Amino acid sequence: MGEYQAVLDKYRARAVAFEKDTSGWKESSKSTDEIRIESKMSDKLNCSVYRMTFSVKVAPQVAIDTFALIPGTKRIGWDPDLNDITVIKQLNETTVLSLMRSNGIAKGVISPRELIDVLAIEKDGNNRWVVGGSVEDYPAIPSKDKFVRGVTGCMSMRVEEDPARPGYSKITFVQEVDMKGRLPRSIIDSTLPGVAIGGFQNWKKYLRQEGLMA
């Protein structure tokens, strides 16, 4: 792990703080009975922090394998905004340095981005937690396509067995990403909640098609 351990510890602490935070959040009008989307201004980056909570009738590991933004994810099969996620370096058994590249998001409203993140996949019994954030000033990675390098201030996906709904997994997803580029933040903030809802519906459709819902 070396130099990346301190970076990961910082993101882990920030993720836990956002999960527990109860002040300053605004619920999106895009929230539904199935998924709650909240946001607040980041205190470190030029972006909003998004927190989404929802329960789905899948096992925790299935949720990680199909929804999490990690190398090897099956999310490629249902998310049109995702170009690829690859391993730059395996840091240890549970931690990777990853490269995530997107296609144009929301039909090109947000042009293709890339993120260089350190990510850990942790287990506690049947529960799972993916957590991480960007490695700043990482050298450019050649590509025939053009990507704007964004910065992840914090990303986490906690998956727990839902005590109120047997057979369901409760998921808390936190994302703090400065998209960079020239697009006004107001446009990004008005676009992302709708993207999240569309992604959630695509994911559930994929789970049903693949026979993965419990």
Side-chain angles (χ1 to χ4, degrees):
M1 285 286 288
E3 62 184 299
Y4 297 112
Q5 184 63 61
V7 175
L8 184 58
D9 288 345
K10 177 183 69 174
Y11 291 133
R12 186 182 285 110
R14 190 162 177 80
V16 170
F18 280 135
E19 288 177 348
K20 295 180 178 180
D21 187 14
T22 60
S23 65
W25 295 93
K26 179 180 179 181
E27 185 168 355
S28 171
S29 61
K30 300 290 186 179
S31 293
T32 69
D33 291 339
E34 292 184 296
I35 178 171
R36 185 180 187 186
I37 303 175
E38 304 167 279
S39 67
K40 66 186 300 184
M41 291 180 61
S42 170
D43 60 350
K44 292 188 175 182
L45 299 174
N46 181 32
C47 66
S48 294
V49 183
Y50 290 92
R51 183 171 66 187
M52 295 175 284
T53 52
F54 48 95
S55 290
V56 178
K57 199 173 184 181
V58 296
Q61 189 60 51
V62 171
I64 290 293
D65 291 342
T66 58
F67 191 87
L69 288 165
I70 55 176
T73 180
K74 295 178 182 177
R75 188 171 178 137
I76 294 287
W78 60 263
D79 188 348
D81 294 331
L82 182 59
N83 182 297
D84 200 9
I85 307 181
T86 57
V87 174
I88 297 174
K89 184 178 181 180
Q90 188 79 36
L91 301 176
N92 63 24
E93 188 176 311
T94 61
T95 310
V96 298
L97 186 62
S98 73
L99 167 63
M100 189 282 287
R101 283 175 166 160
S102 73
N103 297 313
I105 298 171
K107 298 181 179 179
V109 172
I110 302 173
S111 63
R113 271 19 185 205
E114 69 174 21
L115 299 168
I116 307 293
D117 292 344
V118 57
L119 298 172
I121 306 163
E122 303 179 355
K123 299 180 181 181
D124 179 12
N126 289 327
N127 299 332
R128 303 289 185 270
W129 192 34
V130 177
V131 62
S134 281
V135 176
E136 297 181 22
D137 302 320
Y138 195 86
I141 297 178
S143 171
K144 62 182 179 64
D145 299 313
K146 184 177 180 180
F147 296 91
V148 176
R149 175 76 61 87
V151 175
T152 304
C154 174
M155 187 285 290
S156 75
M157 176 180 170
R158 188 180 296 276
V159 187
E160 306 169 294
E161 294 179 326
D162 191 338
R165 306 178 74 183
Y168 281 71
S169 289
K170 179 182 178 181
I171 299 166
T172 303
F173 189 84
V174 174
Q175 193 166 39
E176 177 188 27
V177 178
D178 186 341
M179 295 285 187
K180 300 297 184 179
R182 298 180 179 179
L183 195 64
R185 176 176 165 179
S186 59
I187 293 178
I188 294 174
D189 284 346
S190 65
T191 300
L192 290 183
V195 171
I197 292 295
F200 178 69
Q201 296 300 334
N202 284 344
W203 179 47
K204 289 203 307 175
K205 181 179 179 180
Y206 171 85
L207 292 173
R208 287 192 291 267
Q209 289 176 340
E210 298 297 315
L212 295 172
M213 295 189 82

